[in-house]
């Protein structure tokens, strides 16, 4: 199988190559072939997936499955003999039945881990949206994830590999469209905020702000001519300024080999985007406030899409040497024309789209304001409730303090009423003290007590 066809087949199992738009290409040229680490040759087995993140919520599962499949010699052999249609149709997936038991065991474990992870995500989401302790139908919920077969949650089968390939290919193919939509919303929000800011100013301040904005736009437009991506003028500029070669000796085949950084026989999307750095630097400078770096990344994506549309004839998102050389033979290759039309020359949205966007923002803002008002009222109610609770707390503390004081007073009185050994002490009332008798009577009483101290006193009939 030719190297280019093998690479085209691998692209469906290596979704990262479909997602070069998410990678930020540095403004300086990357390492040369001499400086970069040696890559594994197709003979010894190409790497199906790099370590860069696809952005898919199942990226780790995808990466681990491919890494395990790479360890099976039979599967690698069938992959090298397959074409893109075999992979798309699911024919390659059926080869999973012939991989080693060790590999199948690892794949089974990976699937069980992924199912467990998805269950945890679903439970966390549901717990955040409704009351806890709700019984979950995990099988029904897992059906919303299309990258695995939810009917079989324990073993990794050919159907799982087929679904994984199809879902990743579809999701990543939609990336560019999603990126453009995100950029459109970014631009509309920026314009919306600009208009609101101007409306908040007085007349003189508004005129000054508008003058400053027009000056920034003018400076941004004053840049050297931007060559059409993939044109002879653009490639020759790279050849001369980045490669340091004589522009009069430009050779397309040598150019291709120089910029096939990993020497795999094709230019992938990342390698193509690296070619646009010089053109982007003509328009965008991070040091200038008038240059928006988000617009620069959108520009990079537009340039890559333009080259792919005109050079990648089989639409496998890879440019082979044959496709590249064929593009240099077309009339458009040498036609410099007016140059490349940058983002600001093609507004990302219409006035109707901006109006609908502002209506959406207004509705969302009204909803947030209503929520904020409810929260404010609840906060005030909680504050009043807190005040009442604090008042009750102070009253209870005062009552407890008074009870403690009474208890201490009672304890003090009880201590005074007890003798040294705990017996009760009686304190006679001064009003009840006997009146002293006359001196004569006192002598008679004393004599009587001395005569018979144990007999009780007998009262005289006169006393009775």
């Amino acid at each position: 199988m030719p190297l280019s066809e093998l690479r085209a087949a691998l692209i469906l199992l290596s979704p990262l190559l479909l997602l070069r738009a998410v990678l930020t290409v540095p403004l300086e040229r990357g390492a040369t072939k001499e400086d970069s680490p040696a890559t594994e040759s197709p003979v010894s087995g190409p790497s199906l997936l790099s370590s860069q993140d696809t952005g898919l919520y199942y990226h780790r599962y995808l990466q681990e499955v491919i890494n395990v499949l790479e360890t099976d010699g039979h599967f690698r052999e069938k992959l090298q003999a397959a074409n893109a249609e075999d992979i798309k149709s699911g024919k390659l997936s059926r080869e999973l039945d012939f991989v080693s038991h060790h590999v199948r065991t690892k794949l089974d474990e990976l699937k069980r881990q992924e199912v467990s992870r998805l269950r945890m995500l679903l439970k966390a989401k549901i717990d955040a949206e409704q009351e806890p302790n709700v019984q979950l139908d995990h099988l029904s919920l897992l059906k919303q994830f299309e990258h695995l077969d939810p009917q079989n949650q324990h073993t990794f089968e050919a159907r799982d590999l087929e679904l994984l390939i199809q879902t990743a290919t579809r999701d990543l193919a939609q990336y560019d469209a999603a990126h453009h939509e995100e950029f459109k919303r970014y631009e509309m929000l920026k314009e919306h905020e600009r208009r609101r800011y101007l409306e908040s100013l007085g007349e003189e301040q508004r005129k000054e702000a508008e003058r400053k904005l027009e000056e920034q736009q003018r400076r941004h437009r004053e840049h050297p001519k931007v060559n059409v991506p993939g044109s002879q003028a653009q490639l020759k500029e790279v050849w001369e300024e980045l490669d340091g070669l004589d522009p009069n000796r430009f050779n397309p085949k040598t150019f291709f080999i120089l910029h096939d950084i990993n020497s795999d026989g094709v230019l992938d999307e990342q390698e193509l985007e690296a070619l646009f750095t010089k053109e982007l630097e003509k328009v965008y400078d991070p040091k200038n406030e008038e240059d928006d770096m988000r617009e620069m990344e959108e520009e990079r994506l537009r340039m890559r899409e333009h080259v792919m549309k005109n050079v990648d004839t089989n639409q496998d998102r890879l440019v082979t040497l044959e496709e590249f050389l064929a593009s240099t033979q077309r009339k458009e290759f040498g036609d410099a024309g007016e140059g490349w039309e940058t983002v600001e020359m093609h507004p990302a949205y219409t006035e109707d789209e901006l109006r609908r966007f502002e209506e959406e923002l207004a509705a969302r803002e009204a909803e947030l304001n209503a929520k904020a008002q409810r929260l404010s009222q609840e906060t005030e109610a909680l504050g009043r409730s807190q005040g009442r609770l604090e008042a009750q707390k102070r009253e209870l503390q005062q009552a407890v303090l008074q009870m403690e004081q009474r208890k201490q007073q009672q304890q003090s009185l009880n201590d005074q009423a007890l003798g040294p050994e705990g017996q009760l002490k009686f304190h006679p009332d001064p009003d009840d003290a006997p009146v002293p008798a006359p001196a004569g009577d006192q002598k008679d009483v004393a004599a009587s007590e001395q005569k018979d101290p144990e007999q009780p006193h007998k009262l005289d009939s006169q006393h009775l």
Side-chain angles (χ1 to χ4, degrees):
M1 181 179 183
L3 179 61
S4 60
E5 293 183 13
L6 172 61
R7 180 66 172 183
L10 289 176
I11 187 64
L12 294 175
L13 283 179
S14 181
L16 283 171
L17 295 177
L18 298 175
L19 197 59
R20 298 306 188 185
V22 299
L23 304 174
T24 303
V25 180
L27 289 181
E28 270 116 41
R29 190 179 180 191
T32 62
K33 294 183 181 181
E34 290 76 8
D35 298 331
S36 61
T39 57
E40 189 176 11
S41 66
V43 177
S44 61
S47 177
L48 296 183
L49 192 66
S50 70
S51 60
Q52 293 162 323
D53 198 331
T54 61
L56 300 173
Y57 68 90
Y58 51 90
H59 166 79
R60 182 174 179 179
Y61 174 63
L62 171 66
Q63 184 179 39
E64 290 177 341
V65 167
I66 293 176
N67 289 341
V68 170
L69 287 173
E70 281 188 304
T71 65
D72 186 82
H74 171 80
F75 191 85
R76 289 179 65 84
E77 181 181 345
K78 291 298 181 181
L79 176 62
Q80 292 183 0
N83 54 37
E85 187 57 35
D86 291 337
I87 299 177
K88 289 180 181 179
S89 65
K91 181 179 178 181
L92 181 67
S93 300
R94 292 191 286 273
E95 295 296 331
L96 188 68
D97 295 333
F98 303 100
V99 301
S100 67
H101 175 73
H102 178 66
V103 170
R104 289 299 295 268
T105 301
K106 285 187 176 181
L107 292 174
D108 292 346
E109 180 61 25
L110 288 177
K111 183 175 181 180
R112 286 192 290 268
Q113 291 175 1
E114 178 69 359
V115 170
S116 177
R117 183 183 73 88
L118 296 177
R119 282 176 175 168
M120 291 177 62
L121 290 176
L122 288 170
K123 186 177 186 306
K125 180 180 179 181
I126 292 175
D127 287 348
E129 295 177 351
Q130 64 182 31
E131 295 297 327
N133 302 322
V134 176
Q135 294 296 324
L136 303 180
D137 184 356
H138 285 102
L139 180 59
S140 298
L141 293 171
L142 285 172
K143 289 181 180 178
Q144 64 184 290
F145 300 107
E146 301 177 349
H147 65 287
L148 49 73
D149 181 8
Q151 299 296 335
N152 176 12
Q153 301 179 22
H154 303 288
T155 60
F156 189 96
E157 306 295 339
R159 178 61 177 162
D160 291 292
L161 181 57
E162 183 179 353
L163 289 173
L164 186 59
I165 294 172
Q166 292 175 353
T167 306
T169 303
R170 182 201 63 207
D171 291 348
L172 292 171
Q174 297 172 354
Y175 172 80
D176 288 352
H179 186 282
H180 288 310
E181 183 63 26
E182 181 183 350
F183 177 74
K184 178 193 290 187
R185 294 183 67 84
Y186 167 76
E187 288 288 289
M188 289 191 293
L189 179 60
K190 189 168 67 172
E191 176 62 16
H192 169 73
E193 291 178 345
R194 185 189 71 84
R195 293 183 181 184
R196 288 188 63 178
Y197 170 70
L198 292 176
E199 290 173 358
S200 68
L201 301 177
E203 183 176 358
E204 292 299 322
Q205 292 177 317
R206 183 167 58 252
K207 288 181 179 180
E208 178 61 23
E210 289 175 343
R211 185 197 63 77
K212 182 179 179 181
L213 177 62
E214 290 175 359
E215 176 63 20
Q216 291 178 348
Q217 293 174 343
R218 182 190 63 79
R219 291 199 305 267
H220 179 69
R221 289 191 298 266
E222 291 179 349
H223 55 73
K225 176 183 175 181
V226 180
N227 296 310
V228 175
S231 67
Q232 184 180 47
Q234 189 258 320
L235 298 183
K236 276 191 172 182
E237 192 171 85
V238 174
W239 174 275
E240 180 180 7
E241 297 188 17
L242 286 183
D243 300 332
L245 300 174
D246 185 353
N248 297 320
R249 303 183 63 182
F250 175 75
N251 184 290
K253 184 175 182 179
T254 303
F255 182 92
F256 183 95
I257 295 172
L258 282 173
H259 295 277
D260 177 16
I261 304 301
N262 57 4
S263 303
D264 61 355
V266 293
L267 297 180
D268 58 38
E269 294 177 346
Q270 186 180 24
E271 290 168 334
L272 283 175
E273 289 183 358
L275 301 178
F276 311 143
T277 299
K278 292 299 297 182
E279 302 304 321
L280 294 170
E281 287 177 341
K282 295 177 182 178
V283 185
Y284 301 97
D285 186 345
K287 298 177 183 178
N288 296 338
E289 63 175 343
E290 64 269 15
D291 296 338
D292 190 332
M293 295 300 103
R294 286 285 297 272
E295 291 183 0
M296 184 186 74
E297 292 308 313
E298 175 71 6
E299 198 77 77
R300 191 191 306 276
L301 176 57
R302 290 178 66 242
M303 288 180 170
R304 191 243 302 157
E305 288 178 330
H306 173 81
V307 172
M308 283 297 186
K309 180 180 178 181
N310 293 281
V311 181
D312 179 23
T313 55
N314 64 356
Q315 298 182 355
D316 64 354
R317 303 176 78 96
L318 298 167
V319 176
T320 65
L321 176 60
E322 292 77 11
E323 289 173 330
F324 183 77
L325 294 178
S327 71
T328 63
Q329 303 301 315
R330 299 192 187 104
K331 178 182 177 181
E332 297 82 6
F333 180 70
D335 185 8
E338 297 295 328
W340 176 253
E341 296 182 352
T342 53
V343 167
E344 67 269 10
M345 301 174 70
H346 294 273
Y349 56 88
T350 64
E351 281 297 321
D352 285 341
E353 289 175 325
L354 178 60
R355 177 181 54 79
R356 289 193 295 270
F357 177 76
E358 290 181 327
E359 290 174 354
E360 177 186 335
L361 286 181
R364 190 181 305 170
E365 184 176 0
E367 181 182 355
L368 291 175
N369 288 336
K371 287 183 178 179
Q373 185 175 5
R374 288 196 300 270
L375 289 174
S376 177
Q377 293 172 351
E378 292 174 1
T379 301
E380 292 177 359
L382 287 173
R384 291 191 295 269
S385 177
Q386 182 70 19
R388 290 193 296 270
L389 290 174
E390 289 292 336
Q392 293 176 3
K393 180 179 177 181
R394 288 192 296 270
E395 291 177 359
L396 288 173
Q397 290 175 340
Q398 186 66 25
V400 170
L401 180 61
Q402 291 175 356
M403 291 176 63
E404 288 293 333
Q405 291 174 347
R406 292 194 188 100
K407 183 178 179 181
Q408 291 175 1
Q409 292 174 357
Q410 185 65 36
Q411 184 65 36
S412 177
L413 292 174
N414 292 340
D415 291 343
Q416 294 176 7
L418 295 176
E421 296 181 359
Q423 71 276 20
L424 292 175
K425 294 170 62 178
F426 294 96
H427 302 278
D429 191 335
D431 296 336
D432 296 336
V435 177
D441 293 339
Q442 289 179 356
K443 294 179 180 178
D444 294 340
V445 171
S448 175
E449 289 177 351
Q450 291 177 359
K451 183 182 297 183
D452 192 3
E454 296 182 358
Q455 290 296 322
H457 300 293
K458 294 181 180 180
L459 297 178
D460 181 335
S461 60
Q462 293 179 357
H463 293 99
L464 293 173

